[in-house]
Amino acid sequence: MNKLRTLLFICFSMSLSFCQNVKNVASFNLGFEKITPGQKLPDDWFQWGNGYNLVIDTLVKKSGKISMLIEPAGLKSANTFGCIAYAIPAIYSGKEIELNAYMKMNNVADGVIGLMIRIDGESGLLGFDNMMQKNIQGTSDWTLYSVKIPYPENAKTINIGALLSGTGQLWVDDFKVLIDGHIITNVKTKKGTGYKADLDKEFDAGSGISSIPLTETKIRDLDLLGKIWGFLKYYHPAVAAGEYNWDYELFRILPKIVEAKDMTERNKALHTWISDMGKIEGGKNENENIENTIKMMPDLSWMDNPDIENELKSELNEIRLAKRGETNYYIGLVPEVGNPVFKSESSYTKMKYPDAGFRLLSLYRYWNIIQYYFPDKYLIGENWNDVLLEFIPKYWFYAILSG
């Protein structure tokens, strides 16, 4: 169990940074020129792969003020790569998508370079090319490269980037995305592709929550809030439909829970929070048919907590049996396999550490992913429902030390 706990602390600290952030059209930063002071990467860009350094280079560039340099962090290991990546919402109409960028390489060996374009849908990967088959190596000055793939009608996210899988150095600059030969910002958007959750920007720069009192009673309140928050994230039809930015809804309810003077006031705040999301349509029969095909159901025994009043329990049970759509804003399944794909999980690159709200958010995210989607949860060796309560004060302590 000690190894598991060590892993949990590491994953808690990293869970926010591993999720991609899909940006709106107006904020595209394909030339790397927008950089928030103190950040290691240009705004909205993120790293895929491991064992490589991504460096902002102000001396070697194709145009503008900077380019991005990718180089091994140490000795190259097999099956590793470094990739500078960017995510764009797939809200455009078209048949073919093309990625262009300039790349410059120095002594690339034992691997290759390439432009990467990956299209994801609700249930996972729909299209992919990273130019590996072209076997581009060696040394060359700035050269324009291009990669094209079909653009699926049901695409949800366009991921682009440049990668190095060998030794040497790779510079990249001036990305350009085209659909059917037209610059992406000039292409017509699809109708009905937006989500209300994407328009909620209130807490982009911080949760506004600097501290949370960790009394014994308040830890129990936070434990219950984390479980209800995660349950609603994956079960409530309105959240599944992308009607709410659920991370930011946590920051709206959290102060009310922290300020609640007793259990009655806390439960009233939770009840009002859920009721304000509107009425739901029952789907008991449909859910029963689905449940008959599932080998291992999620553990919802935490709902038997005597601290939860009957009215709130009834409300949660109605949501469990609610009628939901075929897709979920936050979760998808890989076609033919069924593995979960976690979507719409922002990385919050503008958040300033420490931030008590985001710290709690990372803990809630991780605990609920294990709770609902980790198939080997029952091999952990202890009741997972007890772990969140245990780790809320421990996570605070270790997060403060690491800061």
Side-chain angles (χ1 to χ4, degrees):
M1 187 60 192
N2 288 335
K3 290 183 178 179
L4 172 64
R5 289 177 177 173
T6 301
L7 176 62
L8 285 179
F9 281 123
I10 294 172
C11 291
F12 290 161
S13 301
M14 300 178 70
S15 59
L16 288 176
S17 63
F18 273 22
C19 301
Q20 66 190 35
N21 190 11
V22 180
K23 300 307 296 178
N24 293 325
V25 174
S27 59
F28 285 174
N29 185 26
L30 301 185
F32 304 125
E33 298 302 307
K34 299 176 184 177
I35 306 175
T36 299
Q39 286 188 185
K40 294 183 178 180
L41 297 178
D43 290 359
D44 309 321
W45 288 86
F46 54 95
Q47 181 169 358
W48 274 349
N50 56 73
Y52 286 76
N53 291 328
L54 272 58
V55 182
I56 294 173
D57 196 328
T58 59
L59 298 177
V60 179
K61 67 265 191 183
K62 179 63 175 65
S63 67
K65 297 179 180 179
I66 68 169
S67 71
M68 286 304 302
L69 167 63
I70 306 173
E71 58 185 357
L75 294 177
K76 179 187 175 296
S77 301
N79 301 318
T80 61
F81 68 96
C83 177
I84 179 75
Y86 193 93
I88 298 171
I91 59 175
Y92 308 95
S93 299
K95 300 296 183 181
E96 182 182 66
I97 185 166
E98 177 181 356
L99 174 65
N100 295 337
Y102 283 92
M103 293 192 289
K104 171 186 173 74
M105 57 182 174
N106 179 50
N107 294 327
V108 173
D110 300 322
V112 295
I113 69 167
L115 295 181
M116 180 276 299
I117 184 166
R118 167 178 168 156
I119 308 297
D120 289 328
E122 289 284 357
S123 300
L125 182 65
L126 298 178
F128 179 77
D129 194 335
N130 60 9
M131 299 176 63
M132 294 294 96
Q133 73 281 3
K134 295 183 179 297
N135 196 33
I136 303 171
Q137 301 177 324
T139 299
S140 70
D141 203 352
W142 289 108
T143 304
L144 180 62
Y145 292 90
S146 177
V147 59
K148 297 180 183 180
I149 63 172
Y151 180 58
E153 185 176 350
N154 55 340
K156 294 297 179 182
T157 306
I158 303 165
N159 298 288
I160 63 171
L163 62 90
L164 169 66
S165 66
T167 58
Q169 296 173 302
L170 171 66
W171 289 266
V172 61
D173 203 356
D174 294 346
F175 280 87
K176 185 182 296 183
V177 181
L178 305 96
I179 295 180
D180 294 341
H182 302 284
I183 297 295
I184 192 168
T185 51
N186 297 331
V187 177
K188 290 184 178 180
T189 58
K190 302 175 185 177
K191 294 182 179 180
T193 54
Y195 291 100
K196 289 184 180 179
D198 295 331
L199 303 178
D200 187 351
K201 306 294 182 183
E202 182 175 352
F203 301 100
D204 281 4
S207 70
I209 302 169
S210 58
S211 64
I212 299 175
L214 291 183
T215 63
E216 183 177 347
T217 298
K218 205 52 62 179
I219 291 172
R220 289 200 303 269
D221 289 347
L222 294 176
D223 173 67
L224 179 60
L225 175 61
K227 290 169 180 176
I228 291 179
W229 177 86
F231 170 78
L232 295 174
K233 179 176 183 177
Y234 296 126
Y235 276 82
H236 199 290
V239 181
E243 295 290 315
Y244 296 91
N245 182 325
W246 206 236
D247 291 355
Y248 290 178
E249 288 302 316
L250 173 64
F251 301 151
R252 295 184 176 106
I253 186 62
L254 185 56
K256 298 176 183 177
I257 301 303
V258 170
E259 295 165 7
K261 297 181 177 62
D262 52 34
M263 186 188 308
T264 300
E265 193 170 322
R266 179 204 66 192
N267 285 340
K268 181 179 179 181
L270 290 169
H271 172 72
T272 301
W273 182 45
I274 296 171
S275 298
D276 286 348
M277 296 173 66
K279 295 182 179 180
I280 59 174
E281 182 179 351
K284 181 177 179 180
N285 293 335
E286 293 89 337
N287 287 327
E288 283 181 345
N289 292 334
I290 293 173
E291 290 175 3
N292 290 333
T293 67
I294 297 176
K295 296 184 181 296
M296 185 173 65
M297 294 297 299
D299 179 10
L300 299 177
S301 61
W302 58 268
M303 288 187 185
D304 296 328
N305 187 330
D307 287 353
I308 306 177
E309 63 178 4
N310 290 334
E311 185 178 10
L312 183 55
K313 285 183 181 179
S314 176
E315 200 165 29
L316 295 174
N317 192 54
E318 288 180 4
I319 293 170
R320 180 180 72 85
L321 299 174
K323 185 175 182 180
R324 287 174 283 273
E326 296 182 357
T327 60
N328 189 300
Y329 179 73
Y330 286 103
I331 190 76
L333 298 175
V334 177
E336 309 297 332
V337 179
N339 290 344
V341 177
F342 300 100
K343 310 176 299 177
S344 307
E345 301 283 10
S346 297
S347 58
Y348 302 115
T349 57
K350 296 181 181 179
M351 178 201 70
K352 294 182 179 179
Y353 184 89
D355 186 303
F358 276 104
R359 193 185 310 164
L360 192 64
L361 170 63
S362 68
L363 179 60
Y364 284 177
R365 275 187 181 183
Y366 188 82
W367 187 88
N368 282 286
I369 286 173
I370 299 297
Q371 172 75 350
Y372 294 107
Y373 293 101
F374 183 47
D376 294 330
K377 182 181 69 173
Y378 298 98
L379 300 178
I380 289 174
E382 63 182 88
N383 189 341
W384 187 252
N385 285 321
D386 298 333
V387 172
L388 184 58
L389 182 66
E390 175 188 354
F391 271 82
I392 287 173
K394 289 184 177 180
Y395 187 49
W396 240 255
F397 175 72
Y398 279 93
I400 291 171
L401 285 182
S402 64

